[in-house]
Amino acid sequence: HQPILEIRNLSKSFTASGTLEKLSGKTKYVRAVNNVSFQLNKGEVYGLVGESGSGKSTLARTILQLTKPSSGEVLYKNQDLTALKINEMRKLRKDLQLIFQDPFSSLNPRKTVGQILEEPLRIHGVKKAAIRQEKALALLEQVGLQTEHYFRYPHEFSGGQRQRIGIARALIVDPEIAILDEPVSALDVSIQSQILNILKALQKNLNLTMLFIAHDISVVRYISDRIGVLYLGEMMEEADTDSLFAEPLHPYTQALFSSVLDGSKKERIPLKGEIPSPLAPPSGCVFHTRC
Ligand code: ADP
């Protein structure tokens, strides 16, 4: 396998600015992403699963250089994105597209879906209107929308349809990598599976490399070839999907899976600190015989 994206020891800290910090006058740092490493191979779906607050969005944003990482490297086709100048990064933006939870707020309410889809093409230098339109109509079809939707406005669409528009807008520029941050979590379960199936089909047809980030392990399991488990900003373990579910090695992963898969109504894993196990959280790979 050829890695197309390699994340090396990526970390991101924020300065906490809550009331407590203000009162005490002490600066406290939140380590949202802590020394995370993994790689994406061309054409695979890599799933990142983690509970709310585990650093998933921060990781996505630091990979895309929307947020500057505190340390570490992001190698895309062997170029370190963290070292690029803004204009150099701008040229690569097309290659790495972000699909997020609810695209509605980012869809210009005064533009038709056709205009919305064609805008990225215009920005990336497709000069001929006819070519832009042809591409937009093709993408609409691929995400299961109709030609008539080309002339409609965002508010006329349901949540699932808006996500289809979001997907079409990201894929219209033929990216190498799509990073999806909770792309179905705002949707009803039946709509979730429609969107997942569309993503799966597109991914196969386009041989797209996908980083699929979500808190819902069944969603991540359904779509991913490999999975990494994120907890409090750290990568607990990673493995191909079948082995991870057959034999989760890390106690955190075991607890996460059992809370969801055994049907018991345990709400969630305790987040503030302890991994639910007598074993202490690892630094490095002590539980991780696969690495
Ligand atoms: P997730 O996407 O898994 O829910 P996030 O990446 O949003 O997690 O957040 C991870 C941690 O980083 C949380 O503790 C969050 O409060 C903190 N965090 C995220 N963004 C910021 C920010 N801009 N400033 C301060 N803290 C942040």
Side-chain angles (χ1 to χ4, degrees):
H1 281 304
Q2 186 67 18
I4 184 167
L5 189 75
E6 198 176 344
I7 315 301
R8 280 195 195 155
N9 306 107
L10 201 65
S11 295
K12 175 68 184 177
S13 299
F14 293 105
T15 312
S17 53
T19 315
L20 264 181
E21 286 76 28
K22 279 188 189 132
L23 284 175
S24 70
K26 285 185 191 145
T27 312
K28 209 181 137 217
Y29 295 97
V30 179
R31 282 193 174 196
V33 173
N34 193 0
N35 203 26
V36 167
S37 302
F38 63 100
Q39 57 187 46
L40 301 190
N41 299 316
K42 174 79 191 144
E44 80 169 337
V45 182
Y46 189 101
L48 254 184
V49 68
E51 294 172 285
S52 175
S54 59
K56 303 184 300 296
S57 291
T58 307
L59 185 57
R61 294 178 56 78
T62 46
I63 291 171
L64 291 162
Q65 307 305 305
L66 298 171
T67 303
K68 267 275 157 233
S70 308
S71 59
E73 294 171 349
V74 177
L75 299 172
Y76 168 62
K77 295 185 174 172
N78 298 320
Q79 295 177 86
D80 183 6
L81 301 184
T82 68
L84 294 183
K85 301 206 173 71
I86 289 173
N87 61 330
E88 294 169 325
M89 187 60 216
R90 204 172 285 144
K91 285 186 199 141
L92 292 178
R93 284 255 169 260
K94 178 182 101 47
D95 287 9
L96 300 127
Q97 288 291 318
L98 179 63
I99 294 169
F100 38 95
Q101 185 170 341
D102 180 6
F104 186 57
S105 56
S106 71
L107 302 175
N108 187 334
R110 282 183 288 276
K111 290 196 167 162
T112 63
V113 166
Q115 290 169 325
I116 287 169
L117 292 184
E118 288 173 30
E119 191 162 14
L121 290 176
R122 212 168 34 75
I123 291 170
H124 291 291
V126 180
K127 296 219 165 66
K128 289 205 169 129
I131 292 180
R132 294 198 299 262
Q133 186 180 47
E134 191 183 324
K135 194 105 207 237
L137 289 170
L139 252 301
L140 275 182
E141 194 188 335
Q142 287 178 56
V143 297
L145 292 172
Q146 278 101 51
T147 308
E148 63 183 69
H149 292 134
Y150 181 90
F151 301 101
R152 299 259 187 92
Y153 291 86
H155 72 269
E156 299 178 75
F157 292 88
S158 68
Q161 288 175 320
R162 286 171 191 167
Q163 191 51 290
R164 289 170 198 247
I165 299 167
I167 294 165
R169 181 181 54 179
L171 299 189
I172 200 164
V173 291
D174 297 322
E176 292 274 353
I177 300 172
I179 299 186
L180 302 99
D181 186 4
E182 299 279 10
V184 299
S185 55
L187 305 171
D188 293 343
V189 174
S190 63
I191 310 292
Q192 284 192 352
S193 50
Q194 290 174 13
I195 300 291
L196 288 172
N197 287 330
I198 286 170
L199 286 170
K200 231 179 179 174
L202 282 167
Q203 189 272 334
K204 272 221 166 75
N205 289 344
L206 306 171
N207 193 31
L208 186 67
T209 309
M210 279 191 353
L211 176 59
F212 190 101
I213 304 176
H215 70 279
D216 186 331
I217 61 170
S218 36
V219 165
V220 174
R221 180 185 199 174
Y222 180 69
I223 198 142
S224 308
D225 303 312
R226 284 194 302 141
I227 295 177
V229 181
L230 206 63
Y231 177 69
L232 294 179
E234 286 188 47
M235 189 71 97
M236 297 288 112
E237 71 177 297
E238 71 164 16
D240 69 83
T241 303
D242 290 342
S243 349
L244 189 73
F245 278 86
E247 192 198 357
L249 296 179
H250 193 284
Y252 174 73
T253 318
Q254 292 162 3
L256 181 71
F257 287 2
S258 70
S259 72
V260 180
L261 301 178
D262 69 5
S264 73
K265 287 276 178 221
K266 270 183 271 168
E267 280 288 284
R268 62 203 308 247
I269 314 296
L271 240 195
K272 287 273 168 278
E274 291 76 85
I275 285 170
S277 142
L279 298 165
S283 57
C285 287
V286 280
F287 302 111
H288 189 179
T289 58
R290 290 196 194 100
C291 61

